Amino acid sequence: MGELRPPGELRVPARAGPQARSTGTNHDLAKTWMDITFMLEDLRAAAHRDPALHGRHRLEAILYPGLWAVWIHRLAHQLQRRRVPFLPRLISQLARTLTGIEIHPGARIGRRLFIDHGASVVIGETAVIGDDVTLYHQVTLGGRGFQSDAKAIPGTGVTANME
């Protein structure tokens, strides 16, 4: 079956010739299943990493703005990778308005990211965030300075906590 990868990191072999026009419903179904799997992993990570959630209150994790910001980012990131103009940025700005968390569509985010108390969290275009990362409020990742080659805290590794 192979390893699971974030939706933005799926690699599909390119096809040439007349076969390239067929849509491949099996691939679409597998991709949809993987997207749902990643959403459930994000939800499970939020429920496990927040000490305030216990017992029947774990369902409240679905109300977390950090969770919604990550899910919306995954959609915007897919559009960005497909070079869709304007729409990815529009989606990310709407998500920022709704959640208070700004994630650039170009940022690369791994699996099971949990943003707890996400006020003033900014994840820039150059950010690369690994798997199993927890971010708390007022964290900025991947911003650039005035120099075009400068990066401020480009990203995190696997299993990190940023406060």
Side-chain angles (χ1 to χ4, degrees):
M1 176 164 186
E3 72 179 62
L4 290 176
R5 294 188 178 158
E9 300 299 321
L10 289 176
R11 294 191 180 104
V12 180
R15 293 190 279 175
Q19 299 167 344
R21 284 187 280 270
S22 67
T23 58
T25 55
N26 287 340
H27 171 69
D28 295 341
L29 183 61
K31 183 171 177 352
T32 301
W33 177 251
M34 286 185 71
D35 290 343
I36 292 170
T37 301
F38 291 126
M39 289 177 73
L40 290 173
E41 281 184 352
D42 292 336
L43 183 60
R44 201 172 305 122
H48 288 308
R49 291 191 208 147
D50 189 349
L53 288 179
H54 48 81
R56 62 187 169 110
H57 297 288
R58 284 188 182 267
L59 185 58
E60 292 176 10
I62 200 157
L63 303 174
Y64 282 12
L67 194 60
W68 285 97
V70 170
W71 289 347
I72 294 169
H73 164 76
R74 295 197 195 285
L75 169 65
H77 185 71
Q78 286 298 314
L79 295 172
Q80 174 98 0
R81 287 179 49 94
R82 288 175 173 77
R83 301 188 190 281
V84 174
F86 186 72
L87 192 57
R89 287 291 292 181
L90 175 65
I91 290 171
S92 71
Q93 291 304 306
L94 290 173
R96 177 181 168 223
T97 301
L98 293 172
T99 65
I101 299 166
E102 183 173 351
I103 307 176
H104 190 282
R108 291 183 290 166
I109 295 178
R111 296 166 57 183
R112 298 174 299 274
L113 171 65
F114 174 50
I115 302 174
D116 193 15
H117 302 285
S120 300
V121 169
V122 178
I123 302 173
E125 181 178 18
T126 60
V128 178
I129 300 175
D131 296 341
D132 299 309
V133 173
T134 300
L135 298 177
Y136 296 97
H137 57 76
Q138 298 180 345
V139 171
T140 300
L141 295 174
R144 289 187 180 176
F146 291 110
Q147 301 85 7
S148 62
D149 61 343
K151 288 185 182 180
I153 314 174
T156 66
V158 177
T159 313
N161 290 321
M162 303 289 292
E163 295 186 37

